[in-house]
């Protein structure tokens, strides 16, 4: 056998041993590959969803949340959803982690506020849907630390909803709380 052929066979044998060794002894490669594959599928699902589908998922979630249809919310939101409101009032949580915690929070607050939400406009950018909304309602004046029996209120804001793999994963509110307090009118 010539020297070149011998070297080639040795390199081939070593390569095969290394390959077999890696495949046999390192299950972490399989786990890493599967994890990467799932993440890519999730990103591809979002990329493959056209803008109208992203907007549909976001609006379905948003309307269901504000109408307390929590079964519908569960259908379109990730269990690990994060809610944030960096503009929140001091008594209001700035961040809520997890879908169950968010639903509990909205259930408690929306029943006290007797609110109605109306989407004014929306648009989609990448995996985010931006919603301009108006919230109105009539509630006990004491809910907002006001005197009297009941007050009417109105508030506007912007919500950014991130959709990944067909599920809402992040909900961020930017609300006009100054405008909310300026809108208070006694109900007779």
């Amino acid at each position: 056998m010539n020297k070149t052929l011998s070297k080639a066979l040795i390199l081939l044998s070593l390569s095969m041993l290394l390959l077999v060794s890696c495949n046999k002894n390192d299950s972490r490669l399989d786990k890493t590959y599967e994890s990467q594959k799932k993440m890519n599928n999730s990103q591809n699902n979002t990329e493959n969803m056209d803008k109208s589908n992203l907007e549909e998922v976001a609006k379905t979630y948003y309307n269901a949340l504000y109408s307390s249809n929590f079964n519908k919310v569960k259908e379109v939101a990730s269990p690990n959803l994060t809610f944030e409101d960096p503009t929140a009032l001091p008594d209001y949580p700035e961040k809520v982690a997890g879908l169950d915690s968010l639903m509990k929070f909205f259930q408690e607050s929306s029943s006290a506020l007797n609110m109605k939400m109306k989407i004014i406009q929306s648009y989609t950018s990448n995996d985010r849907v931006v919603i301009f909304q108006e919230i109105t309602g009539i509630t006990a004046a004491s809910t907002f630390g006001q005197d009297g029996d009941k007050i009417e209120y109105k508030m506007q804001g912007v919500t950014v909803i991130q959709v990944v793999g067909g599920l809402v994963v992040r909900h961020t509110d930017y609300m006009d709380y100054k405008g909310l307090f300026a809108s208070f009118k006694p109900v007779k």
Side-chain angles (χ1 to χ4, degrees):
M1 232 193 271
N2 75 27
K3 274 185 163 181
T4 308
L5 185 56
S6 291
K7 285 181 182 178
L9 286 173
I10 291 171
L11 284 173
L12 182 61
S13 298
L14 287 173
S15 296
M16 291 182 71
L17 280 173
L18 182 61
L19 183 62
V20 169
S21 173
C22 285
N23 285 337
K24 187 175 179 182
N25 297 326
D26 196 355
S27 65
R28 291 177 299 172
L29 289 175
D30 290 338
K31 290 178 184 173
T32 301
Y33 172 75
E34 288 301 316
S35 176
Q36 185 65 40
K37 197 164 112 179
K38 284 180 185 176
M39 192 167 71
N40 288 342
N41 284 341
S42 176
Q43 288 172 345
N44 288 339
N45 286 344
T46 299
E47 289 169 7
N48 291 336
M49 291 181 76
D50 65 28
K51 289 182 177 187
S52 63
N53 287 347
L54 288 173
E55 204 163 319
E56 183 181 328
V57 169
K59 285 181 174 181
T60 297
Y61 158 81
Y62 205 65
N63 284 317
L65 187 64
Y66 274 93
S67 65
S68 299
N69 183 349
F70 298 118
N71 287 329
K72 181 57 89 178
V73 171
K74 286 180 183 181
E75 290 176 19
V76 294
S78 166
N80 301 318
L81 178 139
T82 300
F83 168 81
E84 293 179 291
D85 185 349
T87 59
L89 298 169
D91 294 343
Y92 192 83
E94 186 176 318
K95 188 172 187 175
V96 178
L99 181 58
D100 290 337
S101 297
L102 176 66
M103 289 189 304
K104 181 180 177 189
F105 169 71
F106 261 81
Q107 192 171 23
E108 292 169 357
S109 63
S110 64
S111 64
L113 294 174
N114 189 29
M115 66 175 89
K116 291 178 179 71
M117 185 277 304
K118 177 181 171 187
I119 295 175
I120 306 297
Q121 182 182 352
S122 64
Y123 68 88
T124 301
S125 180
N126 299 318
D127 62 352
R128 288 171 173 77
V129 178
V130 179
I131 296 174
F132 298 86
Q133 82 278 11
E134 180 178 88
I135 298 170
T136 59
I138 296 174
T139 190
S142 61
T143 303
F144 289 110
Q146 302 293 306
D147 294 330
D149 186 29
K150 291 186 177 195
I151 58 170
E152 184 178 334
Y153 66 91
K154 178 174 153 181
M155 178 170 63
Q156 294 181 333
V158 175
T159 296
V160 180
I161 295 176
Q162 183 180 16
V163 179
V164 176
L167 294 175
V168 175
V169 296
R170 180 172 292 281
H171 169 166
T172 307
D173 281 344
Y174 302 92
M175 306 306 283
D176 178 12
Y177 291 105
K178 185 176 179 184
L180 166 69
F181 286 100
S183 77
F184 292 159
K185 294 179 187 167
V187 175
K188 297 180 184 186

